[in-house]
């Protein structure tokens, strides 16, 4: 799939105020600063579409973008950043979890994971929560350009081994770099394929 058009639609904190669920939707989530907004911009060839920052906690709302007038891409606030005040983190997490549990056209969640780290507690707990709630997700390793190519295989293997302790089968994974545009084609192909299974909800 080629991204021909990508436009911002709306930001909010309420699932009932999101666009009508008539198109397939994919949401990006992960720890603050993992590169969610950057990956969205890289996929859409537009550096200014989603707001990025080297300071964690940049994205604070549920942000809808419409791609090719065919599907929605959603940028969500990050979790796990220690410097954000607890009350604020709780607020973000509450509306984000509410969105994830109730958004009927949500086809798959992309859980972004920093490829330089091993499985972190915040990610582990979040993926467990997705599993418990029956929300489909894939793992997207980010910032591959920051990793020595010789370490890639070992890191992913270690990650999978750790995941296998808890999961009987592992979710699909993607290796990406927004900087180098690595993995974009694979992600877009996955979205195209998954969207074939979308059936609009009757109003
Ligand atoms: P919050 O909205 O704060 O939760 O963060 P986010 O996950 O949206 O991260 P964002 O895209 O704003 O990126 C955070 C920082 O990481 C920025 O300084 C980006 O330039 C940098 N970054 C993101 N992706 C990559 C990547 O693939 N490679 C490199 N080298 N840097 C990246
Ligand atoms: Mg962001």
């Amino acid at each position: 799939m080629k991204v021909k058009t990508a436009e911002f639609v709306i930001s909010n904190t309420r699932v009932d105020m999101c666009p009508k669920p008539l198109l397939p939707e994919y949401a990006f989530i992960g720890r603050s600063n993992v590169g969610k907004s950057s990956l969205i911009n890289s996929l859409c060839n537009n550096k200014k579409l989603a707001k990025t920052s080297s300071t964690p906690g940049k994205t604070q709302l549920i942000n809808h973008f419409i791609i090719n007038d065919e599907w929605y891409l959603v940028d969500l606030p990050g979790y796990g950043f220690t410097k954000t005040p607890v009350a604020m983190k709780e607020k973000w997490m509450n509306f984000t979890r509410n969105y994830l549990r109730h958004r009927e056209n949500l086809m798959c969640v992309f859980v972004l994971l920093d490829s330089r780290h091993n499985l972190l507690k915040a990610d582990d707990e979040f993926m467990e929560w997705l599993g418990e709630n029956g929300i489909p997700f894939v793992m997207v390793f980010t910032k591959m350009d920051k990793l020595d190519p010789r370490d890639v295989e070992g890191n992913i293997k270690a990650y999978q081994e750790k995941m296998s302790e808890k999961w009987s089968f592992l979710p699909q994974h993607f290796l990406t770099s927004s900087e180098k545009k690595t993995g974009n084609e694979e992600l877009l192909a996955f979205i195209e394929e998954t969207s074939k299974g979308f059936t609009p909800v009757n109003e």
Side-chain angles (χ1 to χ4, degrees):
M1 184 202 330
K2 286 232 171 345
V3 172
K4 287 172 243 140
T5 57
E7 285 163 47
F8 169 74
V9 184
I10 193 169
S11 293
N12 65 71
T13 61
R14 283 175 46 182
V15 68
D16 59 332
M17 291 182 59
C18 291
K20 281 190 183 166
L22 303 174
L23 296 172
E25 183 158 310
Y26 300 86
F28 281 40
I29 196 155
R31 291 192 328 128
S32 282
N33 218 40
V34 70
K36 301 175 288 296
S37 304
S38 302
L39 188 56
I40 289 174
N41 291 346
S42 166
L43 283 173
C44 298
N45 304 308
N46 181 344
K47 283 196 169 149
K48 291 192 178 143
L49 194 63
K51 290 191 186 99
T52 66
S53 168
S54 55
T55 314
K58 181 70 182 172
T59 309
Q60 306 191 357
L61 295 166
I62 302 166
N63 299 291
H64 273 80
F65 301 93
I66 188 163
I67 315 300
N68 294 347
D69 291 324
E70 283 172 351
W71 52 280
Y72 290 116
L73 192 50
V74 176
D75 193 14
L76 293 169
Y79 52 75
F81 181 57
T82 47
K83 283 191 188 156
T84 310
V86 175
M88 218 160 146
K89 273 200 286 200
E90 274 179 8
K91 185 177 163 234
W92 295 354
M93 216 51 214
N94 280 343
F95 72 68
T96 300
R97 286 184 185 211
N98 196 45
Y99 157 82
L100 292 169
R101 284 176 53 218
H102 299 292
R103 186 67 171 155
E104 49 212 303
N105 58 335
L106 185 61
M107 301 298 282
C108 188
V109 176
F110 292 158
V111 179
L112 274 60
L113 305 156
D114 193 317
S115 57
R116 295 167 297 175
H117 302 313
N118 206 326
L119 180 60
L120 299 170
K121 192 162 175 271
D123 295 322
D124 189 28
E125 287 174 358
F126 184 72
M127 289 190 277
E128 197 173 332
W129 180 85
L130 288 174
E132 281 164 9
N133 284 277
I135 300 166
F137 70 95
V138 294
M139 299 190 296
V140 178
F141 293 99
T142 63
K143 307 191 186 183
M144 291 297 293
D145 58 287
K146 290 198 178 197
L147 198 65
D148 186 320
R150 286 168 299 187
D151 295 336
V152 173
E153 208 178 314
N155 271 31
I156 303 298
K157 205 160 161 251
Y159 212 98
Q160 288 180 318
E161 275 168 12
K162 194 88 192 124
M163 289 283 289
S164 304
E165 290 172 12
K166 199 178 281 182
W167 299 82
S168 48
F169 59 94
L170 297 180
Q172 191 171 343
H173 73 267
F174 295 89
L175 307 180
T176 70
S177 159
S178 306
E179 204 85 334
K180 304 257 188 259
K181 293 195 167 278
T182 316
N184 282 4
E185 268 181 42
E186 288 81 359
L187 278 178
L188 291 170
F190 172 82
I191 290 170
E192 188 169 21
E193 194 52 39
T194 308
S195 294
K196 288 180 186 162
F198 177 72
T199 25
V201 191
N202 287 329
E203 278 188 89

